Amino acid sequence: MWPDFPATVRALAEAIADRETGAAGSPEAAAAFVLASFRGMPAYLRPPLRAATLFFDAWPAIRRGRPFHRLPVDLRLRQFDAWERSPIGPARMLTTFFASLIVFSLWSNDGAHG
Amino acid sequence: MADRLRTDVAVIGSGPGGAVTASLCAEAGYATLLIEDGPDLPLEANAHFSGDEILSKYRNAGIAMAFGKPSVSFVEGRCVGGGSEVNRGLYHRTPAYVLEQWSRSHRVDHLTEAALAPHFDACEQTARISRLPGTAPDLSQRLGDGAARLGWDAIAAPRLYDYGAGRKQSMSETFVPRFRQAGGRLIADCRATRIRRLGGKWEVTARQGRGDLTIEADALFVACGAVQTPALLRRSGFRRNIGNSLRFHPMMKAVALFDASVNRPGDPDPVHQIKMFEPRFGIGCSISSPALLALALAGNPQMRARIGSDAARMGLYYVQNGTGHARVRNLPAMQDPLVSIRHEEEELDQLYDGLKHLMRALFAAGAEAVQPCIRGFPLLRSVDEIAALPAQPWRSALLTSVHVFASCPMGEDMSLCATDSWGRVHGGDGLRIADASLMCGPTIANPQGSVMAIAHRNALHALERRFA
Ligand SMILES: Cc1cc2nc3c(=O)[nH]c(=O)nc-3n(C[C@H](O)[C@H](O)[C@H](O)COP(=O)(O)OP(=O)(O)OC[C@H]3O[C@@H](n4cnc5c(N)ncnc54)[C@H](O)[C@@H]3O)c2cc1C
């Protein structure tokens, strides 16, 4: 099972949606928003972001025998939390990028507030 | 074979600078062509500050970065009307002390409050300014109350907004219709890629959809905004003081949890601002929808976890100043330029001090808890806890900005300025710039009014001289 960029984005959206109690947006819509944002972002940012995401996806393969996008949600969240708290700047930047776009989208479907 | 168009005047970019300039040229009787990289969409095409709006009306889907320590994440509009379509329209004229400072530092001629007043008046006739009728929403009022309890002054800022009709006075509602009325021609989804002087005319090469377009014009104004204008000019061989001095109004944010409901669906936009500490820092209120609260709190799970139950008691606030000096440089074969920024420690300290002032005001306004929006920073339960915050937040702070300017400053100081006092590129054979790039530094106040008034002043100057 190879690292897969869109599958990683979808797996991230599902995992973050799982911990985002009360947010009404769907993980599918959040993943679509992230992928659309990725397509629109400056071209020179896309290759490094894609490479970092694929590395993030491949990370658990040695220990657990499968990429991030094939892990159960609790293990995905554990890996995401660890990267969020990492002392390594690029690891934190990667999680900040995904967390920001995904929580924005997940909370966007709440029609109760303007 | 590229399509060819011929016109008297071409204006590249339809934001506040370009739209004002193009209107005046068309009304003076010149055949005027306004080209815009982004789509032509009505103001209400998307909900304001929604994901759809970001994807369709923002440049690069709202993802752009000035790389530095700390980096500044910034956004710009990319549609007919530019930033005026996506902004909140908070409005101020350029403060007199800012104009005085620019006149001195960059030797700009005739740039006083009195000289600029008729241009503000003229722009405000078309893009109307008004104050919120009645009382401000609680989220806004709370900032005013907190300031008052600390003995500080707060104001309720006017906006480019027609409260009667419930419509923002963006360019697509004001100057773009005026331009069309005067016979001007607008081409949307059309991106200028290069300009050059050829046989005494200007030639603009552009991409429109899948095809190429060549525009030949007697006079040319570049108004692509403070990042894209220097990118286009540098790509076209104009480099002198171009893209060396980009400035922002970088922001830090905090979320307050109040003792009562302050944030109701359908409330008007908050308008309170604390301006008495400017230019060290200025404070204001942000739109506080659950989505924008969640975005601001992306690195603060404890407060974010309360959005589901307590969004109505939450308000999002910002502090900003002019920290950072940035450069715009093209990368080989890339459409978007690279922006890098360096900060002076003193300006960063002032911004962080501003964040502490903001949090004091929020506690004074009755906040039960305040979360500084910095990854890993604690949720504060009392004003005393502010003193225990880390001395330096910059390892984990990411600054954000919605204001960009000053990448091609105007003035007669040839060592600093890209153009003369009227927006004519030094050594540019009559080429003009007409957008936020021309500012000589941060406007301190919300910038759109300054961009429009200076574009108006410079367009009249150009018309009086028949673009000489
Ligand atoms: C989210 C947000 C909130 C803001 N809030 C406020 C506020 O409350 N009050 C305030 O005063 N200001 C606010 N601003 C700032 C204000 O909108 C800007 O200062 C103003 O729009 C700058 O005008 P401009 O003409 O310089 O550039 P822009 O508005 O950026 O317009 C430039 C236009 O040129 C187009 N363009 C770029 N390159 C090309 C090319 N190569 N070919 C063709 N077209 C091109 C762009 O697509 C864009 O539409 C805000 C901005 C944003 C993004």
Side-chain angles (χ1 to χ4, degrees), chain A residues 19-22 33 36-37 40-45 84 86-87 92 96-97 99-101 103-104 107-108 110 112-114, chain B residues 49-51 54-55 60-61 63 67 263 265 289-292 294-295 298 304 307-308 311-312 331 334 336-338 375 395:
Chain A
R19 75 173 186 194
E20 213 61 21
T21 326
F33 180 63
S37 303
M41 71 197 292
Y44 63 85
L45 287 178
E84 259 185 331
S86 165
R92 286 197 311 273
T96 301
F97 173 79
S100 304
L101 294 181
V103 296
F104 174 79
W107 285 100
S108 288
D110 182 344
H113 298 267
Chain B
F49 292 112
S50 65
I54 291 170
L55 293 178
N60 294 126
I63 298 170
F67 292 96
N263 182 17
S289 65
L292 291 172
L295 180 63
R304 202 174 74 243
I307 295 175
L331 296 167
M334 295 284 166
D336 295 294
L338 183 70
R375 174 171 298 284
R395 192 177 156 271

Side-chain angles (χ1 to χ4, degrees), chain B residues 83-106:
Chain B
S84 75
E85 304 302 312
V86 298
N87 73 18
R88 291 173 56 205
L90 291 163
Y91 185 84
H92 295 284
R93 293 186 175 192
T94 330
Y97 73 87
V98 170
L99 295 174
E100 274 163 37
Q101 192 193 320
W102 292 358
S103 298
R104 265 199 320 273
S105 63
H106 289 67

Side-chain angles (χ1 to χ4, degrees), chain B residues 11-19 35-38 48-49 58-59 75-92 160 190-193 223-226 228-229 232 235 401-405 434-437 445-451:
Chain B
V11 180
I12 310 174
S14 67
I35 68 167
E36 167 56 48
D37 186 16
H48 203 14
F49 292 112
Y58 281 53
R59 180 162 297 283
V75 292
E76 297 169 286
R78 181 185 157 274
C79 56
V80 169
S84 75
E85 304 302 312
V86 298
N87 73 18
R88 291 173 56 205
L90 291 163
Y91 185 84
H92 295 284
L160 287 148
C190 179
R191 176 179 178 78
T193 52
C224 302
Q228 296 296 322
T229 283
L232 176 62
R235 202 178 302 123
S401 181
V402 295
H403 300 163
V404 291
F405 22 60
D435 61 20
S437 313
N446 301 79
Q448 187 182 324
S450 306
V451 176

Side-chain angles (χ1 to χ4, degrees), chain B residues 130-464:
Chain B
S130 47
R131 291 185 187 276
L132 186 66
T135 50
D138 287 343
L139 183 152
S140 183
Q141 193 56 53
R142 287 282 182 138
L143 186 67
D145 295 347
R149 286 194 189 120
L150 294 169
W152 302 345
D153 295 328
I155 60 146
R159 289 177 67 207
L160 287 148
Y161 201 85
D162 178 346
Y163 283 102
R167 290 184 82 77
K168 192 169 62 170
Q169 296 284 281
S170 68
M171 292 302 106
S172 70
E173 293 279 300
T174 57
F175 278 97
V176 170
R178 187 172 142 181
F179 168 69
R180 283 182 158 133
Q181 186 100 36
R185 177 169 177 202
L186 174 93
I187 306 180
D189 298 306
C190 179
R191 176 179 178 78
T193 52
R194 219 169 269 274
I195 58 174
R196 66 173 175 161
R197 191 79 170 142
L198 198 66
K201 311 262 182 219
W202 288 101
E203 190 185 83
V204 180
T205 309
R207 286 292 293 170
Q208 190 191 11
R210 281 157 185 243
D212 287 332
L213 178 66
T214 304
I215 298 159
E216 187 190 293
D218 297 328
L220 178 62
F221 291 84
V222 180
C224 302
V227 175
Q228 296 296 322
T229 283
L232 176 62
L233 291 177
R234 291 186 70 87
R235 202 178 302 123
S236 305
F238 299 90
R239 300 217 166 84
R240 189 191 177 125
N241 298 326
I242 304 272
N244 297 345
S245 54
L246 178 71
R247 304 292 298 269
F248 298 89
H249 280 157
M251 287 188 273
M252 299 180 89
K253 296 197 170 184
V255 172
L257 178 70
F258 289 106
D259 46 357
S261 167
V262 294
N263 182 17
R264 290 177 210 86
D267 274 352
D269 271 20
V271 288
H272 276 82
Q273 295 180 330
I274 302 173
K275 296 177 71 62
M276 61 182 284
F277 301 109
E278 290 175 353
R280 281 196 304 137
F281 56 80
I283 288 173
C285 322
S286 295
I287 304 284
S288 302
S289 65
L292 291 172
L293 286 167
L295 180 63
L297 293 168
N300 307 101
Q302 198 183 350
M303 187 67 132
R304 202 174 74 243
R306 302 193 65 156
I307 295 175
S309 52
D310 289 324
R313 293 202 287 136
M314 288 176 160
L316 177 59
Y317 300 86
Y318 69 83
V319 57
Q320 67 185 16
N321 74 357
T323 181
H325 298 252
R327 283 189 354 160
V328 181
R329 289 292 181 271
N330 290 309
L331 296 167
M334 295 284 166
Q335 181 173 297
D336 295 294
L338 183 70
V339 181
S340 55
I341 188 165
R342 63 183 169 72
H343 299 270
E344 305 288 343
E345 203 155 309
E346 191 188 344
E347 289 173 329
L348 284 176
D349 287 346
Q350 288 172 355
L351 186 60
Y352 192 33
D353 186 37
L355 181 68
K356 293 174 182 171
H357 277 69
L358 165 60
M359 294 192 290
R360 285 175 62 200
L362 296 175
F363 278 117
E368 288 175 354
V370 176
Q371 176 67 65
C373 302
I374 305 173
R375 174 171 298 284
F377 266 45
L379 179 65
L380 308 184
R381 301 277 179 189
S382 79
V383 71
D384 300 331
E385 291 173 18
I386 295 174
L389 287 175
Q392 281 282 347
W394 308 121
R395 192 177 156 271
S396 36
L398 172 67
L399 305 178
T400 57
S401 181
V402 295
H403 300 163
V404 291
F405 22 60
S407 54
C408 311
M410 60 184 167
E412 306 305 324
D413 184 333
M414 300 290 278
S415 67
L416 289 177
C417 300
T419 77
D420 70 3
S421 300
W422 308 95
R424 272 179 301 209
V425 174
H426 284 305
D429 218 355
L431 174 64
R432 286 173 165 83
I433 297 177
D435 61 20
S437 313
L438 289 177
M439 311 295 116
C440 302
T443 49
I444 308 298
N446 301 79
Q448 187 182 324
S450 306
V451 176
M452 292 192 300
I454 288 171
H456 192 273
R457 159 193 185 263
N458 293 356
L460 288 186
H461 184 271
L463 286 165
E464 278 158 19

